[in-house]
Amino acid sequence: MIEGEKLIPINIEEQMKTAYIDYSMSVIVSRALPDIRDGLKPVHRRVLFGMHELGVRSNTPYKKSARIVGEVLGKYHPHGDSSVYDTMVRMAQEWNMRYMLVDGQGNFGSVDGDSPAAMRYTEARMRKMAEDMLIDIDKETVDHSLNFDDTLEEPTVLPTRIPNLLINGTSGIAVGMATNMPPHNLSEVVDGTIAYLENQDITIDELIEYIKAPDFPTGGTIYGYDGVREAFKTGRGRVVIRAKAHFEEVDKHECIIVTEIPYQVNKALMVKQTADLIKEGKLEGISDVFDETGKGGMRIVYVLKKDAIPNVVLNNLFKHTPLQSAFSVNNIALVNGRPQQLNLKDLIYHFIEHRYDVVYRRTQYELKKAKERIHILEGFMKVIATKDTLDRAIYIIRNSKDTQIAKEGLIKEFELSDIQAQAIIDLRLGRLTGLELDKIREEYEEIKAYIIDLEDILAHKERRTQIIKEELLEIKAKYGDERRSVIEYAGGDISMEDIIPDEQVVITISNAGYIKRTSVNEYKTQSRGGVGQKGSATRDKDFIEHLFVGTNHQYMLFFTEKGKCFWLRVYEIPEGGKNTKGRAIQNLINIEPDDNVKAFICTHDLKDQEYINSHYVIMATKKGIIKKTCLEQYSRPRQNGIMAITIKEDDELLEARLTTGNSQVMLAVKSGKAIRFPEEKVRAVGRSGSGVRGISFDNDANDEVIGMITIENPREETVLVVSENGYGKRTFIDDPETGEAVYRITNRGGKGVKTISITEKTGNLVAIKTVSDEDDLMIINKSGMAIRMSVSELRVMGRATQGVRLINIKGNDSIAAVAKVMKDDENETESEVNDTDTITNE
């Protein structure tokens, strides 16, 4: 040990605690967290102040970035040059700052994460908004402290007129805490701040009416509002941001076009991640992705496969890629040098308190300067008030040996202060004219009135409040703009239902097993007897066999002829126009190659226990077997399907219906007979059961069941039957006046009664439906031609009659399917004719 030194034993645990606390506070206060008043960290403040001191303003030429960085490093910020340059660069990047403070010239990076050019290549200057953050800094409005080597002074805060922390936000990681504050719209923030000035008891809910949500520089859609409200009220919250996207057809391919991405998302990295997910098969329905961003703006193109559902693909993009991101709000800033979590009202309050302080100190400074000036003017007026006094003053100055003697002579002669005497000595001869004397008197009166006004401002807080309001409105007029981020208040967790509208759709299944859904509005109402418009394109020797109507959000239970049940949502069925072929149903459900879908049921929520336990599925087979099972048995289907009914050899499932247990059932056979019996005659059994006999056939071995209907209101509903050659009719179930049964109720298992007179002209019965005047009828034949007509056009006939022609059948064509559709009042009834066809009405 060197002589004179001594060792002092210390507790290493206490030393480490003390050192770490000192270090952490240094990081918190001097590096990572912004000041609540100007929203700036020390490095940001030093960059702007350094540019101010250099005179690099918005109306001056650009100056090399290296020159600015050197100024800040040498005078105020003794750290690495990269920290200063990176800070300046960020303040010039439009995708990072909602309102930029630096005007950069050269390569300042890109939203793809590209680095900016070296500081020796780029140039910069302040923007006008930055000047408004530094305005009045020379009027003793803020405190200054010594720089790192005690040779210069730097401001501890800027006297900003801009609510910078709210409009630009910030992020930073300190020791033991972090901050992450989103940007907001300046116009909204100014409106909210003025509302606070007018009513300081305003609630956060009332402030939210003005400041609606964060407003990100990259736009996007704020999806859901709960996180926003939570952040405004507590200072912590999770704001979900989605890209802005729309659908567009490019080179005959359906595409998703993204024009805005979430805040702080690296576009190039996002596109690469998406491409990787496509290659790995984790994102289905996309064939390619391109980044076509250019001068026209951002444009990312996702090319979809032919059978892809655009809404579902977009939802998967939101789920698996940064096209949907979350901004975790954590409003922590320094309040009087101490970190504090702040809600929306706190942020506005502290900014306003800072403005009050700045306005008060500025007014004091201006009052001091005004009093100093009026003091000098009073001296001028004493000396040059008349020609005699002026001559005496000139004589004293001329006959004095030096300036000090002249000053003393003036003080003694005119009773002046030292400052007044010095100002008179410094006065130019040109100001000793009579005209200049008038100007001095005029200036004196103006400053006298100005002093009274300044003293009034200092005496009355209302005056200062009005000044703050006026300056805020001036800022809004200069820099205010429209909101970029759209707010989708109804958003929340990712859900298909949030994206896909619950509109009515037509589901068609062809004989070869191709399925699609089409908006019901694509089919137009036609008069009875029309030839019809093309309803669906089909492959060679294929024809449309099933046509159903449902809504996008419903659950679908598919029943196959072998008795299996599969589960899908309607929106999972590929969407297509009337003239598209659809997609093979084997690609959607794991159906066996030799099986076919014969029936489906649209249900509501299969997780609603009360609903599934109060509804039943009734099934009928071609051989006249009927089975009833509780819907709860079908509420948990597996991917490979479940057994719905045990089908005997040479039989197949024909129809399935959803009932409440109180319906009546009617079965019809192709020979033209039908049977009606109460649903309660069929006992509910499990999924594995095979059912009981519903109808018996005559000795005709070729006879079979063609359809089943369930009846809820027999006096209101009518039965529609259609034959294969296009004939059909409506018949009452019960007479609406007398209530007498047209189709008598019997026990199940009987042969039934005649429902239509079958002849060679009509052909066999192919369909039976329950209809009312409020329904529309859709008929489609095997060649793919469809017609839509109003059921109200069909008059009610007797049970055993032949009916009328509903649709013209050409050649060997015949009816393939019949469905009823709810009437759409907006669709006009019109007659459309194929160019090569003619209409014949009976």
Side-chain angles (χ1 to χ4, degrees):
M1 189 169 66
I2 301 172
E3 188 178 350
E5 290 184 347
K6 65 176 181 178
L7 293 175
I8 302 175
I10 61 170
N11 186 318
I12 190 168
E13 183 181 350
E14 291 299 322
Q15 179 62 26
M16 289 183 70
K17 278 184 182 178
T18 304
Y20 192 74
I21 288 171
D22 291 343
Y23 163 72
S24 64
M25 287 308 297
S26 173
V27 172
I28 289 167
V29 176
S30 304
R31 191 182 306 174
L33 298 185
D35 192 289
I36 184 71
R37 296 167 291 178
D38 61 5
L40 298 175
K41 301 175 189 176
V43 64
H44 296 85
R45 192 177 300 115
R46 287 164 177 168
V47 168
L48 294 179
F49 185 65
M51 295 176 83
H52 171 76
E53 290 292 283
L54 268 178
V56 191
R57 294 180 173 80
S58 60
N59 57 354
T60 63
Y62 292 93
K63 202 174 280 289
K64 278 288 183 186
S65 299
R67 174 73 178 84
I68 298 168
V69 171
E71 175 83 3
V72 175
L73 280 181
K75 292 184 175 180
Y76 310 114
H77 198 71
H79 299 279
D81 57 359
S82 62
S83 65
V84 177
Y85 185 51
D86 289 349
T87 297
M88 189 181 77
V89 164
R90 189 179 184 279
M91 289 194 289
Q93 291 176 332
E94 62 181 353
W95 59 92
N96 266 325
M97 297 287 284
R98 181 63 179 85
Y99 298 92
M100 294 177 286
L101 301 177
V102 172
D103 182 8
Q105 183 167 267
N107 175 13
F108 273 73
S110 74
V111 72
D112 288 329
D114 300 320
S115 300
M119 68 179 83
R120 61 183 178 273
Y121 298 119
T122 61
E123 298 177 334
R125 64 183 178 187
M126 281 199 294
R127 288 185 176 268
K128 286 185 178 180
M129 183 172 278
E131 292 176 14
D132 275 318
M133 293 191 69
L134 286 148
I135 196 167
D136 300 329
I137 197 167
D138 300 323
K139 294 184 178 180
E140 300 176 1
T141 50
V142 293
D143 294 333
H144 285 66
S145 61
L146 293 172
N147 69 340
F148 60 91
D149 60 0
D150 293 349
T151 58
L152 297 167
E153 286 193 337
E154 59 176 314
T156 57
V157 68
L158 298 186
T160 176
R161 292 183 182 181
I162 311 287
N164 182 61
L165 192 56
L166 269 168
I167 67 168
N168 271 326
T170 190
S171 64
I173 300 172
V175 178
M177 64 183 65
T179 185
N180 201 34
M181 304 178 70
H184 296 80
N185 183 271
L186 178 89
S187 299
E188 292 181 2
V189 169
V190 168
D191 291 342
T193 306
I194 290 174
Y196 172 82
L197 282 168
E198 292 173 348
N199 174 23
Q200 296 191 3
D201 294 325
I202 191 170
T203 65
I204 293 178
D205 285 327
E206 290 170 333
L207 281 173
I208 290 174
E209 294 177 13
Y210 300 95
I211 307 172
K212 297 177 174 59
D215 189 24
F216 299 101
T218 52
T221 299
I222 294 171
Y223 188 68
Y225 203 70
D226 291 342
V228 174
R229 187 180 286 107
E230 185 72 14
F232 279 156
K233 290 188 174 184
T234 67
R236 292 180 70 93
R238 185 174 178 270
V239 180
V240 177
I241 319 160
R242 282 186 164 182
K244 276 188 187 172
H246 65 274
F247 304 125
E248 195 175 297
E249 191 168 315
V250 180
D251 296 331
K252 297 183 179 179
H253 286 90
E254 188 78 15
C255 297
I256 296 172
I257 310 296
V258 171
T259 54
E260 294 177 7
I261 60 175
Y263 185 47
Q264 294 177 335
V265 167
N266 184 313
K267 175 165 65 67
L269 189 59
M270 181 191 72
V271 172
K272 182 180 180 302
Q273 287 174 348
T274 304
D276 291 341
L277 287 172
I278 295 169
K279 288 178 184 177
E280 294 167 7
K282 294 179 180 177
L283 268 179
E284 296 181 351
I286 303 175
S287 61
D288 214 338
V289 56
F290 302 103
D291 186 358
E292 297 180 356
T293 303
K295 289 184 178 179
M298 185 176 293
R299 182 180 169 90
I300 306 168
V301 181
Y302 299 86
V303 183
L304 303 185
K305 295 178 180 177
K306 287 185 178 179
D307 56 356
I309 307 168
N311 281 318
V312 174
V313 174
L314 180 59
N315 191 69
N316 284 328
L317 283 171
F318 287 143
K319 188 174 183 180
H320 297 292
T321 74
L323 280 184
Q324 174 171 307
S325 300
F327 187 95
S328 297
V329 179
N330 190 18
N331 295 339
I332 292 181
L334 295 175
V335 180
N336 297 323
R338 298 176 66 86
Q340 187 175 322
Q341 189 146 47
L342 306 142
N343 61 32
L344 177 61
K345 190 173 179 179
D346 294 334
L347 291 167
I348 294 174
Y349 165 76
H350 288 291
F351 171 72
I352 289 299
E353 288 301 303
H354 178 53
R355 287 304 300 155
Y356 273 125
D357 185 50
V358 168
V359 170
Y360 192 89
R361 293 175 67 166
R362 181 183 68 195
T363 306
Q364 281 185 318
Y365 175 84
E366 289 171 345
L367 179 62
K368 181 181 74 172
K369 290 296 180 183
K371 285 183 175 179
E372 288 175 358
R373 180 61 180 167
I374 206 168
H375 181 62
I376 290 171
L377 292 175
E378 285 171 347
F380 288 168
M381 293 170 67
K382 283 182 181 178
V383 172
I384 60 175
T386 64
K387 187 176 182 302
D388 291 340
T389 55
L390 179 58
D391 288 342
R392 283 208 315 273
I394 293 171
Y395 177 82
I396 291 169
I397 294 170
R398 182 184 295 170
N399 291 287
S400 299
K401 290 182 180 180
D402 54 34
T403 303
Q404 184 59 33
I405 293 174
K407 192 193 296 185
E408 290 172 357
L410 290 171
I411 291 171
K412 185 177 179 181
E413 178 67 25
F414 297 103
E415 297 181 352
L416 302 176
S417 68
D418 186 78
I419 294 172
Q420 289 173 323
Q422 184 64 47
I424 289 168
I425 289 171
D426 294 339
L427 199 63
R428 290 184 298 109
L429 290 173
R431 298 208 65 184
L432 301 180
T433 64
L435 184 63
E436 284 297 319
L437 179 59
D438 291 340
K439 287 184 179 179
I440 289 170
R441 286 174 177 160
E442 185 180 338
E443 184 184 356
Y444 176 81
E445 292 300 325
E446 286 177 0
I447 294 179
K448 192 174 180 182
Y450 182 48
I451 287 172
I452 292 171
D453 186 57
L454 291 174
E455 288 174 339
D456 186 65
I457 291 171
L458 291 174
H460 298 93
K461 189 177 182 180
E462 303 82 42
R463 287 290 312 277
R464 300 196 292 278
T465 301
Q466 188 59 33
I467 289 169
I468 293 170
K469 277 188 193 177
E470 290 169 359
E471 290 176 351
L472 282 169
L473 290 172
E474 182 184 337
I475 291 298
K476 179 182 175 182
K478 285 167 72 174
Y479 309 114
D481 58 2
E482 293 296 321
R483 162 174 282 279
R484 294 182 190 174
S485 296
V486 176
I487 307 167
E488 192 171 321
Y489 291 94
D493 293 335
I494 291 177
S495 173
M496 295 286 192
E497 288 83 349
D498 295 327
I499 297 174
I500 301 172
D502 193 22
E503 64 183 10
Q504 197 174 43
V505 291
V506 175
I507 300 108
T508 55
I509 303 174
S510 76
N511 181 259
Y514 288 86
I515 187 170
K516 66 172 181 178
R517 63 185 168 95
T518 307
S519 174
V520 74
N521 293 326
E522 287 204 30
Y523 293 87
K524 295 180 179 177
T525 306
Q526 290 181 253
S527 296
R528 180 176 64 82
V531 171
Q533 61 185 148
K534 194 74 173 175
S536 180
T538 54
R539 298 176 181 269
D540 293 341
K541 299 182 180 179
D542 190 14
F543 59 88
I544 300 301
E545 190 170 6
H546 300 282
L547 185 147
F548 311 112
V549 177
T551 63
N552 276 328
H553 288 189
Q554 286 182 316
Y555 293 78
M556 288 182 61
L557 297 179
F558 287 88
F559 295 86
T560 72
E561 62 184 31
K562 288 189 174 184
K564 293 195 76 174
C565 175
F566 296 87
W567 181 87
L568 273 182
R569 300 297 293 270
V570 172
Y571 58 69
E572 293 178 306
I573 299 171
E575 187 174 15
K578 295 199 304 289
N579 299 323
T580 58
K581 295 179 177 65
R583 185 176 177 186
I585 199 167
Q586 284 87 349
N587 295 336
L588 298 177
I589 59 177
N590 295 327
I591 189 173
E592 296 176 12
D594 59 343
D595 203 358
N596 292 301
V597 172
K598 284 292 185 180
F600 93 119
I601 290 174
C602 280
T603 74
H604 299 294
D605 191 355
L606 288 176
K607 296 178 182 178
D608 185 340
Q609 292 297 316
E610 183 179 349
Y611 175 80
I612 61 177
N613 286 313
S614 61
H615 286 76
Y616 299 87
V617 176
I618 288 187
M619 290 164 278
T621 73
K622 277 193 174 182
K623 295 299 181 182
I625 300 299
I626 191 164
K627 177 190 173 184
K628 176 181 174 183
T629 306
C630 183
L631 178 61
E632 192 274 337
Q633 297 278 311
Y634 304 101
S635 62
R636 296 176 297 276
R638 295 184 291 272
Q639 187 174 0
N640 293 325
I642 57 174
M643 186 56 67
I645 180 175
T646 300
I647 299 293
K648 295 179 180 177
E649 192 176 351
D650 75 358
D651 196 4
E652 62 183 59
L653 182 67
L654 180 71
E655 190 69 84
R657 296 283 180 180
L658 188 68
T659 71
T660 58
N662 301 312
S663 305
Q664 295 174 7
V665 179
M666 188 179 289
L667 297 172
V669 296
K670 72 178 184 180
S671 61
K673 287 191 173 184
I675 188 171
R676 174 187 177 191
F677 55 86
E679 177 187 346
E680 60 199 37
K681 295 288 185 180
V682 184
R683 183 172 57 87
V685 296
R687 281 195 296 109
S688 59
S690 58
V692 294
R693 178 155 296 282
I695 188 170
S696 298
F697 305 124
D698 286 328
N699 296 328
D700 185 358
N702 295 321
D703 208 359
E704 60 186 27
V705 175
I706 54 90
M708 175 185 70
I709 60 173
T710 54
I711 304 163
E712 303 294 337
N713 301 298
R715 295 183 69 165
E716 297 177 10
E717 298 176 86
T718 55
V719 171
L720 170 75
V721 287
V722 181
S723 70
E724 61 184 346
N725 289 341
Y727 284 82
K729 61 164 184 154
R730 290 172 67 191
T731 307
F732 286 126
I733 300 172
D734 286 349
D735 190 297
E737 295 182 0
T738 65
E740 184 179 347
V742 178
Y743 290 87
R744 69 176 185 271
I745 300 175
T746 65
N747 286 325
R748 63 170 179 82
K751 293 183 179 181
V753 296
K754 184 180 287 189
T755 186
I756 188 171
S757 182
I758 295 297
T759 65
E760 186 177 345
K761 181 180 177 182
T762 62
N764 289 324
L765 192 62
V766 294
I768 180 169
K769 303 288 175 186
T770 55
V771 294
S772 66
D773 286 345
E774 286 71 37
D775 295 324
D776 276 0
L777 187 64
M778 297 187 71
I779 303 174
I780 194 162
N781 58 23
K782 291 181 179 180
S783 63
M785 303 301 291
I787 187 170
R788 177 169 176 167
M789 66 179 67
S790 175
V791 169
S792 60
E793 293 182 18
L794 302 176
R795 66 184 178 88
V796 181
M797 300 181 182
R799 179 170 52 79
T801 58
Q802 175 181 282
V804 296
R805 186 183 294 276
L806 302 179
I807 183 171
N808 284 333
I809 302 296
K810 298 183 65 178
N812 295 322
D813 205 358
S814 60
I815 301 293
V818 178
K820 64 178 180 179
V821 192
M822 292 300 294
K823 186 181 292 294
D824 185 354
D825 294 335
E826 295 181 3
N827 279 349
E828 295 179 359
T829 301
E830 55 181 290
S831 182
E832 296 193 1
V833 187
N834 189 291
D835 291 340
T836 60
D837 294 326
T838 58
I839 293 179
T840 58
N841 291 321
E842 291 194 353

